[in-house]
Amino acid sequence: MTINIAGLPRERIVFETSPLGELCLALHALAEPGHHPGLAGWVTATAAALRPDLADRLQEADFLWRTTFSDLFMPFAGLRGGAVSPGATLADELDLLDRLDDEQFVTTALEFSCLALYNEGGGTSPLTDRAARTRALEQAAARGPRQVEFTERLLKDPASVRAWVRRLFEDCDDAFFADIWQRVEPRLAADARHKTELLRRKGLREALADVSPALVLEGGGTRIRVDKLADGRTTALDPAVGPGLTFVPSHFGWPHLMVLHRPAWRPVVHYPVGSHELPAPTSVDLLKLRLEALAHPVRMQMCRSTARTAHTTGELAGVLGISAPEVSRHLSVLKKAGLITARRRGRYVLYQLDVRAVARLSSEFLEGILR
């Protein structure tokens, strides 16, 4: 995924907190606790304390944060008329959400059924185009009855759904989010200040590295590449909304590193705040390399043999019943993937499986596909 920043003034790159964005990720953690094993205690306690009516309404709309991270949670990025910052409070950001016009609100809320249009440049509005309306309903039907009912209500009466969504978020604030935001906001604000200062003093490259190793400045400083399995491109210089790129820190975000790249919206990078407990993300290319290296039956046998003790090339050839040059070719693949270590003992080179690297593969795979 790439973000075009060619010619973007430095002052248009900002680090800011977003209570509505953080609510999105808190709701996602409640809906998908398997993505966030470190939050198991909080998820259990919060879910148990929810009023039944609020729990029911959250289930009714959970496709807005379970399967996708709806851009409704970042309304400041879609407002016209120059750079607009996230609100200081949840109420402020809900006011920004109210400022989106009906077409913006509807197409954004239907992202779960119109994701192809998102990547193709937006397409026509289901509010005004009969074919787009039919397509939205058909795609919602494939997702389930709740999505169909929501889509029908939204297309028939956007104003009532907008009021319903706002009330839902306000009730979440009363039930649990206000306390959470009071606890996590100081740390997120401190992280935003730190990265702002890093950007000012050392430049964008250093600031990006501090956000995540998955962010790389390329093209002589004209674009940012985000190491994700998802494809997409956006620009921070869209004339419809004005130039700007916003980075938003998150307490609940890991392992997700999200990029809002909706057409005619300012790009937003929503990143997890680092922790000593969290490993640095493995690149998607290295993850692919490791999975491909383990996909061959001979290399699987090599891993089995070298997991117990170190072997020379000749020993592996005898164990596996293949030639020494063939063993060397397979070892080269495993070494390139970082799964085999080598150490010299006299005139012999001993190869052994890096058990820790293999043990991390499941978490690396999960982090890579969820990033």
Side-chain angles (χ1 to χ4, degrees), residues 2 4 6 32-33 42 67 71 88 120 147 178 182 196 241 282 300 305 310:
T2 59
N4 173 33
E32 289 287 0
W42 175 83
T67 55
D71 296 337
E120 291 168 4
Q147 287 87 333
Q182 185 176 25
T196 299
V241 288
T282 300
M300 287 283 285
S305 297

Side-chain angles (χ1 to χ4, degrees), residues 22-274:
E22 194 66 7
L23 174 59
C24 172
L25 286 164
L27 291 172
H28 173 73
L30 284 172
E32 289 287 0
H35 293 187
H36 307 271
L39 299 173
W42 175 83
V43 167
T44 300
T46 303
L50 290 177
R51 299 191 318 270
D53 69 298
L54 178 56
D56 288 344
R57 284 184 289 147
L58 288 176
Q59 283 193 337
E60 189 176 346
D62 71 354
F63 48 81
L64 294 175
W65 51 80
R66 180 193 289 271
T67 55
T68 63
F69 300 103
S70 174
D71 296 337
L72 289 179
F73 292 92
M74 294 285 178
F76 65 89
L79 292 173
R80 309 310 195 242
V84 178
S85 297
T89 67
L90 185 65
D92 291 338
E93 292 211 279
L94 293 178
D95 290 342
L96 295 179
L97 182 59
D98 289 342
R99 288 172 56 187
L100 294 179
D101 62 42
D102 279 350
E103 287 199 1
Q104 284 180 300
F105 187 94
V106 168
T107 55
T108 305
L110 291 181
E111 183 182 322
F112 70 91
S113 68
C114 302
L115 194 58
L117 297 179
Y118 185 111
N119 291 322
E120 291 168 4
T124 55
S125 167
L127 282 180
T128 56
D129 184 87
R130 183 183 296 273
R133 181 188 187 91
T134 300
R135 184 166 56 250
L137 288 168
E138 288 174 348
Q139 292 176 340
R143 298 297 183 112
R146 282 185 298 155
Q147 287 87 333
V148 173
E149 194 274 337
F150 180 87
T151 302
E152 289 175 340
R153 285 170 51 207
L154 184 61
L155 294 175
K156 181 179 180 180
D157 188 1
S160 68
V161 175
R162 296 180 72 144
W164 184 87
V165 168
R166 176 163 185 144
R167 179 61 185 272
L168 175 64
F169 294 163
E170 289 171 340
D171 288 349
C172 288
D173 196 41
D174 292 339
F176 63 89
F177 185 71
D179 290 339
I180 291 171
W181 185 245
Q182 185 176 25
R183 176 166 55 87
V184 305
E185 190 276 338
R187 184 187 180 207
L188 300 182
D191 185 84
R193 288 193 299 270
H194 166 70
K195 288 180 172 55
T196 299
E197 185 64 11
L198 196 62
L199 174 65
R200 185 183 70 83
R201 297 184 58 161
K202 296 190 175 181
L204 181 58
R205 194 179 303 275
E206 292 291 331
L208 292 177
D210 201 54
V211 170
S212 170
L215 297 175
V216 180
L217 192 63
E218 294 183 333
T222 62
R223 67 177 178 268
I224 297 170
R225 179 174 59 83
V226 187
D227 187 36
K228 289 171 64 75
L229 281 172
D231 292 325
R233 60 177 57 87
T234 185
T235 178
L237 298 114
D238 193 308
V241 288
L245 171 60
T246 303
F247 290 85
V248 176
S250 171
H251 168 78
F252 287 93
W254 190 89
H256 308 294
L257 175 66
M258 295 167 292
V259 181
L260 188 163
H261 60 289
R262 176 175 291 278
W265 285 44
R266 280 178 296 278
V268 179
V269 178
H270 205 175
Y271 65 93
V273 170

Side-chain angles (χ1 to χ4, degrees), residues 227 282-292 335-339 361 364:
D227 187 36
T282 300
S283 74
V284 171
D285 286 342
L286 180 57
L287 178 61
K288 290 178 180 176
L289 202 62
R290 288 179 171 175
L291 294 177
E292 290 167 357
K335 286 192 294 182
K336 188 175 180 181
L339 298 174
L361 260 178
E364 288 175 350

